[in-house]
Amino acid sequence: MAVHKAENPEAAKLSRDLGWLAALGVILVIAGLVGLIYTGVATLTSMILFGWLLLVGGVVGLLHAVQARGSNFFWLGVVVAALNIAAGVVVIGRPEAAAAALTMFAALLFLTGGVFRLVGSLVVRGPQFGWTLVQGAFGLLLGILVLASWPSSSKYVIGCFFSLSLLFDGLGLIATGFGGRKIVGMVTEQHEAVAKPTPSE
């Protein structure tokens, strides 16, 4: 009976933590759905967040470089940190232009990735031939569509990807939270059944 009392608070705490994880997932799903509706706002928000990440990362990298100023990598660290800070300032100051540049870069990645997948699938013809062919064709088509409507596509492409990322991450957290709570409940019930004393004859 004492073993049951010792483990029950731990199970309750784990269940609460998984519940908070599921709640965070719900928030992310809501944010992803709102972002898919207002893709322009989501694009600007994601670019500003990206700019601040670059800026903070650059400042932290600069502090690390100053602390390690006696090493051989001091100037490399200073240059990388300065580039991050400069990029962060530019992205925060001009999020629309940064979104247009990043959209162009993403479209070129889709194009090159699609071409390589198409050529690779046709040359190798492995067991995943059909799936690789579809992936390559989809990447190529997506890159062409984004480039064809650029720079107007930069207003929604980044925001759409950012919102979809939030949506799928949120769904994953919800599944983990509820699935984990179910497993904890099953284990707790099983432990209670084992620890429950049998009535004496």
Side-chain angles (χ1 to χ4, degrees):
M1 202 68 180
V3 175
H4 167 66
K5 290 182 179 179
E7 288 190 0
N8 194 34
E10 295 179 3
K13 181 179 182 302
L14 182 58
S15 182
R16 283 195 303 271
D17 292 342
L18 289 169
W20 283 112
L21 193 67
L24 177 61
V26 171
I27 294 172
L28 290 180
V29 167
I30 294 173
L33 292 174
V34 172
L36 287 175
I37 297 172
Y38 302 101
T39 51
V41 177
T43 296
L44 290 179
T45 302
S46 60
M47 293 312 301
I48 291 173
L49 287 175
F50 179 59
W52 277 107
L53 285 175
L54 286 174
L55 188 60
V56 173
V59 171
V60 173
L62 186 62
L63 292 175
H64 281 304
V66 170
Q67 290 177 351
R69 54 184 174 272
S71 65
N72 296 328
F73 300 99
F74 168 69
W75 287 110
L76 178 61
V78 170
V79 170
V80 172
L83 289 175
N84 284 335
I85 292 173
V89 171
V90 171
V91 171
I92 293 171
R94 299 283 304 278
E96 297 91 351
L102 195 58
T103 301
M104 171 67 77
F105 181 68
L108 292 175
L109 282 181
F110 288 136
L111 281 173
T112 54
V115 169
F116 276 113
R117 282 193 176 94
L118 281 174
V119 173
S121 64
L122 293 173
V123 171
V124 177
R125 293 184 177 272
Q128 301 294 327
F129 167 73
W131 178 244
T132 308
L133 192 68
V134 170
Q135 281 184 316
F138 180 75
L140 187 62
L141 179 63
L142 188 59
I144 292 172
L145 289 176
V146 172
L147 279 179
S149 57
W150 190 87
S152 61
S153 60
S154 63
K155 297 178 182 178
Y156 60 84
V157 168
I158 303 299
C160 185
F161 288 161
F162 180 66
S163 301
L164 286 174
S165 177
L166 288 178
L167 180 61
F168 287 118
D169 286 346
L171 290 174
L173 289 178
I174 291 173
T176 302
F178 281 108
R181 282 171 66 91
K182 185 176 181 181
I183 293 173
V184 170
M186 291 171 58
V187 171
T188 303
E189 289 177 3
Q190 201 171 38
H191 176 74
E192 287 176 352
V194 173
K196 187 176 181 181
T198 55
S200 58
E201 297 292 338

